[in-house]
């Protein structure tokens, strides 16, 4: 029996984000779906991954006999190095981020507003774990892509007129990739435009599941 | 001047007092000054304010000082993976100042470099900006953040020479480098102490001027928070 394909799964959302990569880019990937972008870098393209705890050139997970406690990514997972890797301090790492030297970051979000605000670090009333490097990344990186489910588990829209949760950054998001669609804006004064639909998804469905204003 | 001390307790002698501020290196459990943390715990010093990116995990790293109730306030960017922290924080027993990771690193660097404050875009328009001066430069808003000047810095290095020149290994450098400069005095623990002249002067990460006291902390049983591996391809 044929299954009806509708929307993108987590890997497909990551693959869609990977289409925004360009040869020579330096990129920081968040935890979760954004990490999967690393598996979708096109062959022949050189993309250098930055880890904000102080490394450029993140390699694949190590072989079991090569695990090194001194070599971890920002998610505290063991990783490996590449011949082109370099290490530096946290202050140098964020100088790189804040100084606008990183081309692209992909991160998750709980809410994004139609004005490009992002909320992804705390829910009032719940235990706050902290923002980590997310506020620095959205303030400093040249292009900010958010990858998130279009609606919450309860079915509520996440791309909304105004964020209800405490912000991570104000007017910073350039592109939103959900399981249903892609929204983009060319600059921070323009509205988001619906530029792509996932397989089997109609613009009508996206409109009905979104409260943010966007152009088509 | 002899910088090498026989153990962490001796290296911290005379430096600890109730209510002091400590800048600590480390990211997660990577590159944490664990011998010095243990000695601080054993000293019983109380009401500490600790600037550190993380707060350890339950009973590892700074988590030990939390468990023994010696910490009054943490200045950190991320404090997950720590049940005792969560309990004390929710009970109002522990004060926490959440600080974006890059801002925290720069606050340590700036404090150590004699810069009392700096403007940054990070946190503009968020809770982090509340109560802070906003200044517009070239059409963009920035907030004023303060440098951190601590009473004591505690760091973990890989190798140091007998004069205190120090190098780190891989991603264990992290906050150790800025933390080393932020304290009025820095105490370092390392895995190996080598004779003067055996480290390449062009490759020193922390010059000896910052490292006032030094201990050999080895042997270390380095902890890994999340072990992730791939399978070896079979021929």
């Amino acid at each position: 029996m044929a299954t009806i394909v509708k929307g993108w799964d987590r890997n497909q959302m990551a693959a869609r984000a990977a289409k925004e990569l360009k040869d020579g880019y330096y990129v920081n990937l968040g935890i979760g779906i954004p990490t999967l972008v690393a598996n979708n870098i096109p062959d022949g393209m050189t993309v250098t991954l930055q880890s904000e705890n102080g490394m450029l050139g993140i390699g694949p997970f190590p072989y079991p006999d090569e695990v090194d406690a001194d070599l971890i990514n920002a998610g505290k997972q063991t990783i490996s190095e590449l011949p082109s890797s370099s290490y530096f301090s946290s202050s140098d790492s964020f100088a790189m981020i804040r100084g606008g030297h990183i081309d692209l970051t992909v991160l998750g979000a709980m809410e994004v507003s139609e004005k490009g605000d992002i909320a992804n670090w705390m829910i009032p009333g719940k235990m706050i774990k902290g923002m980590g490097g997310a506020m620095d990344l959205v303030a400093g990186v040249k292009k900010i892509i958010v990858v998130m489910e279009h609606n919450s588990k309860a079915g509520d829209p996440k791309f909304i007129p105004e964020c209800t949760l405490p912000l991570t950054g104000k007017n910073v998001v350039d592109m939103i990739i959900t399981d249903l669609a892609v929204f983009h804006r060319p600059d921070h004064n323009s509205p988001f435009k619906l530029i792509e639909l996932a397989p089997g998804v109609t613009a009508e469905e996206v409109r009905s599941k979104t409260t943010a204003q966007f152009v088509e | 001047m002899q910088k090498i001390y026989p153990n962490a307790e001796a290296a911290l002698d005379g430096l600890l007092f109730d209510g002091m501020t400590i800048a600590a290196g480390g990211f997660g459990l990577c590159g944490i000054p664990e011998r010095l943390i243990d000695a601080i715990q054993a000293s019983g010093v109380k009401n500490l304010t600790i600037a550190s990116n993380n707060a350890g995990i339950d009973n590892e790293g700074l988590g030990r000082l939390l468990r023994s109730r010696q910490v009054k306030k943490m200045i950190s960017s991320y404090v997950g993976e720590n049940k005792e922290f969560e309990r004390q924080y929710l009970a109002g027993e522990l004060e926490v100042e959440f600080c974006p990771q890059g801002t925290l690193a720069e606050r340590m660097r700036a404090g150590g470099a004699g810069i009392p404050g700096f403007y940054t875009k990070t946190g503009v328009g968020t809770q982090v900006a509340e109560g802070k001066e906003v200044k517009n430069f070239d059409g963009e808003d920035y907030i004023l953040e303060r440098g951190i000047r601590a009473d004591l810095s505690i760091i973990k290095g890989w190798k140091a020479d007998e004069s205190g020149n120090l190098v780190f290994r891989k991603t264990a450098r992290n906050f150790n480098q800025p933390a080393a400069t932020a304290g009025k005095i820095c105490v370092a623990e390392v895995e190996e102490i080598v004779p003067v002249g055996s480290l390449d002067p062009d490759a020193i990460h922390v010059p000896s001027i910052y490292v006032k006291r030094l201990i050999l902390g080895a042997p270390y049983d380095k902890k890994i928070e999340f072990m992730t591996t791939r399978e070896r391809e079979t021929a």
Side-chain angles (χ1 to χ4, degrees), chain A residues 126-197:
Chain A
K126 294 208 174 168
M127 174 62 196
I128 306 165
K129 293 187 171 181
M131 69 290 280
M135 286 193 182
D136 307 279
L137 284 160
V138 299
V141 174
K142 286 181 198 159
K143 183 170 182 179
I144 314 294
I145 298 180
V146 167
V147 176
M148 64 179 186
E149 300 295 329
H150 200 86
N151 296 92
S152 70
K153 288 196 179 85
D156 297 322
K158 296 174 70 172
F159 181 31
I160 54 185
E162 286 278 357
C163 291
T164 63
L165 298 169
L167 296 185
T168 307
K170 203 170 173 64
N171 192 15
V172 293
V173 177
D174 297 289
M175 180 179 264
I176 306 161
I177 298 170
T178 77
D179 50 324
L180 302 182
V182 181
F183 303 89
H184 175 254
R185 56 177 186 164
D187 58 68
H188 289 183
N189 298 314
S190 302
F192 282 95
K193 185 177 182 187
L194 175 63
I195 60 163
E196 204 173 318
L197 294 164

Side-chain angles (χ1 to χ4, degrees), chain A residues 15-80:
Chain A
R16 178 58 191 84
K19 285 188 180 174
E20 301 302 316
L21 298 171
K22 292 195 171 80
D23 193 38
Y25 260 21
Y26 286 83
V27 174
N28 184 295
L29 300 176
I31 293 165
I33 300 174
T35 305
L36 303 173
V37 173
N39 306 331
N40 290 282
I41 297 169
D43 286 342
M45 188 184 280
T46 304
V47 171
T48 304
L49 300 178
Q50 200 247 18
S51 193
E52 64 263 31
N53 53 321
M55 181 187 198
L56 274 173
I58 304 176
F61 290 144
Y63 296 120
D65 56 341
E66 290 175 354
V67 164
D68 185 336
D70 288 340
L71 183 43
I72 62 169
N73 63 20
K76 289 137 191 164
Q77 297 172 311
T78 48
I79 51 171
S80 67

Side-chain angles (χ1 to χ4, degrees), chain B residues 113-135:
Chain B
I115 297 171
F118 59 92
Y119 291 97
T120 176
K121 273 190 294 188
T122 301
V124 169
T126 75
Q127 283 185 2
V128 165
E130 285 172 14
K132 290 173 185 161
E133 183 196 327
V134 179
K135 195 172 167 96

Side-chain angles (χ1 to χ4, degrees), chain A residues 53-54 68-79 87 90, chain B residues 24-34 37 52-54 56-57 60-61 155-157 168-177 191 220-226:
Chain A
N53 53 321
D68 185 336
D70 288 340
L71 183 43
I72 62 169
N73 63 20
K76 289 137 191 164
Q77 297 172 311
T78 48
I79 51 171
Y87 299 107
S90 298
Chain B
F27 182 93
L29 298 180
C30 182
I32 54 170
E34 53 188 285
I37 290 169
S52 167
N53 187 55
N54 312 97
I57 61 176
E60 291 290 348
I155 68 163
K156 155 85 196 305
F168 301 105
R169 185 171 173 274
K170 303 184 187 284
T171 55
R173 190 180 319 183
N174 56 57
F175 276 80
N176 282 295
Q177 195 171 24
E191 295 174 40
Y220 285 96
D221 172 26
K222 296 179 191 174
K223 301 285 193 300
I224 291 172
E225 274 184 74
F226 302 107

